[in-house]
Amino acid sequence: MPGTDKNSGPSVPGILLRREAGLSLSEQIREGITQAIDEGRLKPGSRVPSCRDLAAQLGVARGTVRAAYDMLVDSQRLVAKGAAGTWVTDIQRPPGESRQQDRVIAPLAAIIHAFDSPPLTFQMGVPANDAFPAKVWSRILTRHAREMVSKPTGYSDPRGSLALRQQLVSYLSMARGIRCQASQVMITNGYAGALGLICLALGLRGKAIWTEDPGYLLARKALTLAGVETIPVAVDEQGLCVEEGIRQAPDAAAVLVTPGQQAPLGMTLSLERRAALLAWARRHGSWIIEDDYLGELQLEGRAAPALAALDDGCVLHIGTFSKTLSPSLRLGYLVVPAHQAAHFGEAAALLAPASSFVLHNAVAEFLLEGHFMRHLRRMKRLYNERLIALLAALQPLFPQASRAALAVIIALPEGCQDTRIAHEALAYGMAPTPLSVWYQDQGRRGLVLSVTTLPKEGFTGSALRLKALIEQFG
Ligand SMILES: Cc1ncc(COP(=O)(O)O)c(C=O)c1O
C-alpha cells in the first residue's frame, strides 16, 4: 500500500514543520497531509500513521497531531476507523477538481513500451513466466527473508553475498568454463549495473569503445550517457568483424561484445575471431567487456565457453539472471580479472554497492540445490518447442523467417517502417522489436520475435495479425 511500510507502519511523505510560521503546528500538519493526498503521494484508501507515531516522527505532541486529524476527518479527507486506525478517504474526487498530476513520463518510454506490466507476445528479454518454478522459489525466498529479519547485521559486503559469489564460482566453472575466485565476482543490479560499474571503475569517460552493429541499443545509450564514444563495428556470420574494428579504431579502450549468442542476430563468435579479439586486446592493453546475457540458453548444440574462460587478463564478464530467472530480480554479476578484483571491490563499495542479500542468498540456495540447472534444462526444452511452433506458424506467411537465438527474425524490405509496425502491434498484445533500432544508423529492417512468451491462442493468430499489420503499415 503506498505510503505504508509493512515493518515500520505507514508514514506521511513530505511534511515540513516550521515553528516560526504563522500557522499553528496542527494547521501545518493538516495542510501537509491535504497536499500529500492532492498530489497522490498519499493514496485513497491508504492508512495514515497513528497519532503517536506521527507525533514521534515530527517531534510534536500527540494532541497536536490529533487536532490535525480531527480537522481532516471533519473535512472528510480522512476517516477514523477506531482501533483499525485512520485512513485516507477512499472516494473519487469530484470531476473538475484539480489534482496535481505526476507528469514525468517513464524512463526510456520511446524504447520500452511499459515497465511493471506482464510480458506481451514476442517481447524480447523476458523469460517464460509459465515455466518459472514459483513454488520452490517462494519457499526459498520466504525462508531467507525470515532469516534476514531474525539475524540483523551491519553493512553487508558491497560486492554481494559471499554465498552467491561462491555459488557463481562453481556454476561459471561448470557452465561457462570460467576459472575465478569469489573475490573476482561482484553482484550487480543486472547487466546495466555491471556496465555502469565498469565505466566508473575503468574511467572510460572520454574514451572510445567498439560496439557491435547491430547491437544492444540500451548498452549503446548507456555508454553514450557515461561519456563514452561508441564505434559501431559490423557483424557477419562469424560475429564481430574484428579486422574492421582494428581498421576503424585500433587504440579503442575496450570492446563490448556478445560472443555467446550475438544480440540480436544470434550467431556465436567464431574461434578465429575470438583469438583475433584477444590478441588485439592484449596488444593494445584494451578491455573486452563480454555480455553473456544468453550464454547458458543456447538451444542448438553445445554452448561455446565464455571468452573469459580463455583469458584472465583483459576480459570483464557480465552475466544476468534476467533471462534465466526473472528481470524483476534485477540481479546480475560481473567477473573481473584477478588483478582488478581489489580495485573493483572498492569501486563497488564507493559507487555501486550490491543490493539486499535476501535475494542473493535465495538465488545462492536455488543454485546450490540444483533448481537452477534443472530450470535451465526445462526452459531450453520449452523454448525449442516454441521456436519450432513459431517457425511453423510463420513460414507459410514469411518464408524468409529465420532463427536467431531465442527469437525468430522476419527480414523486411529496405525502407519498411518496422518501428511503426512494432508500435501498432502493441494494441494487439504483441511486442515485436524492430530490427532497425539495433543498428547505430538505421540498418536492415525487420521484426525480431522472441519465442519465450506463448500467446494463449498459440502463434498462428499472432502470425496472421503481424502479416496484416505489415501490409497496412510497412
Ligand atoms: C543484449 C543484452 N544484454 C544484456 C541484457 C540484460 O540486461 P539486464 O540484466 O539489465 O536485464 C539484455 C536484456 O534484454 C540484452 O538484450
Side-chain angles (χ1 to χ4, degrees), residues 101-238:
Q101 298 268 329
D102 183 356
R103 294 187 194 284
V104 177
I105 52 167
L108 304 172
I111 304 166
I112 292 170
H113 71 272
F115 287 110
D116 294 327
S117 61
L120 301 181
T121 305
F122 302 139
Q123 186 172 333
M124 291 185 79
V126 281
N129 272 345
D130 51 337
F132 187 70
K135 237 184 190 165
V136 175
W137 172 246
S138 67
R139 172 175 57 77
I140 294 176
L141 188 59
T142 309
R143 177 140 43 82
H144 284 280
R146 253 194 237 118
E147 205 165 283
M148 192 198 83
V149 174
S150 61
K151 274 201 300 194
T153 53
Y155 280 98
S156 41
D157 191 318
R159 297 168 298 179
S161 102
L162 183 60
L164 180 55
R165 291 187 290 121
Q166 279 172 337
Q167 280 306 311
L168 280 168
V169 168
S170 321
Y171 167 72
L172 288 172
S173 129
M174 229 166 16
R176 309 297 299 124
I178 298 173
R179 276 169 299 159
C180 63
Q181 305 290 325
S183 60
Q184 292 168 253
V185 183
M186 325 274 141
I187 308 301
T188 60
N189 290 305
Y191 167 81
L195 191 60
L197 178 56
I198 290 173
C199 288
L200 293 165
L202 297 182
L204 294 180
R205 175 171 287 277
K207 299 194 175 154
I209 289 197
W210 304 354
T211 51
E212 293 169 313
D213 194 36
Y216 188 34
L217 170 65
L218 295 189
R220 217 162 52 226
K221 281 181 98 61
L223 291 172
T224 305
L225 186 66
V228 176
E229 183 195 358
T230 58
I231 312 280
V233 176
V235 167
D236 66 13
E237 67 288 349
Q238 289 193 61

Side-chain angles (χ1 to χ4, degrees), residues 125 190-192 216 258 263 291 293 320 322-323 330 438:
Y191 167 81
Y216 188 34
T258 47
D291 175 0
Y293 81 120
T320 177
S322 287
K323 316 297 151 194
R330 285 243 183 246
W438 295 79

Side-chain angles (χ1 to χ4, degrees), residues 187-346:
I187 308 301
T188 60
N189 290 305
Y191 167 81
L195 191 60
L197 178 56
I198 290 173
C199 288
L200 293 165
L202 297 182
L204 294 180
R205 175 171 287 277
K207 299 194 175 154
I209 289 197
W210 304 354
T211 51
E212 293 169 313
D213 194 36
Y216 188 34
L217 170 65
L218 295 189
R220 217 162 52 226
K221 281 181 98 61
L223 291 172
T224 305
L225 186 66
V228 176
E229 183 195 358
T230 58
I231 312 280
V233 176
V235 167
D236 66 13
E237 67 288 349
Q238 289 193 61
L240 182 81
C241 299
V242 179
E243 282 306 315
E244 191 198 306
I246 295 174
R247 241 188 341 268
Q248 283 200 66
D251 299 325
V255 53
L256 175 59
V257 65
T258 47
Q261 302 196 76
Q262 204 275 335
L265 303 178
M267 74 284 287
T268 299
L269 189 68
S270 71
L271 256 183
E272 198 182 299
R273 295 275 171 88
R274 285 168 187 246
L277 194 60
L278 284 165
W280 164 76
R282 286 174 186 148
R283 213 166 42 241
H284 287 274
S286 306
W287 299 102
I288 298 175
I289 305 169
E290 174 174 40
D291 175 0
D292 200 38
Y293 81 120
L294 284 185
E296 52 270 275
L297 282 170
Q298 174 126 1
L299 301 187
E300 278 184 311
R302 245 174 80 87
L307 260 183
L310 306 175
D311 185 272
D312 183 29
C314 59
V315 181
L316 302 140
H317 176 94
I318 307 177
T320 177
F321 288 108
S322 287
K323 316 297 151 194
T324 49
L325 290 176
S326 168
S328 65
L329 302 182
R330 285 243 183 246
L331 212 54
Y333 47 90
L334 167 64
V335 185
V336 301
H339 62 87
Q340 286 292 319
H343 175 58
F344 268 79
E346 293 239 328

Side-chain angles (χ1 to χ4, degrees), residues 382-393 395 403 451 459:
L382 189 73
Y383 291 164
N384 245 325
E385 288 166 13
R386 290 185 180 175
L387 198 70
I388 290 165
L390 178 59
L391 279 170
Q395 232 115 40
R403 321 174 46 137
V451 300
F459 284 124

Side-chain angles (χ1 to χ4, degrees), residues 8-12 47-58 62 65-66 69 82-86:
S8 64
S11 67
V12 176
R47 188 155 68 88
V48 294
S50 67
C51 290
R52 177 199 288 205
D53 285 350
L54 187 58
Q57 213 173 310
L58 298 175
R62 212 188 302 177
V65 177
R66 181 167 311 287
Y69 279 12
T86 306

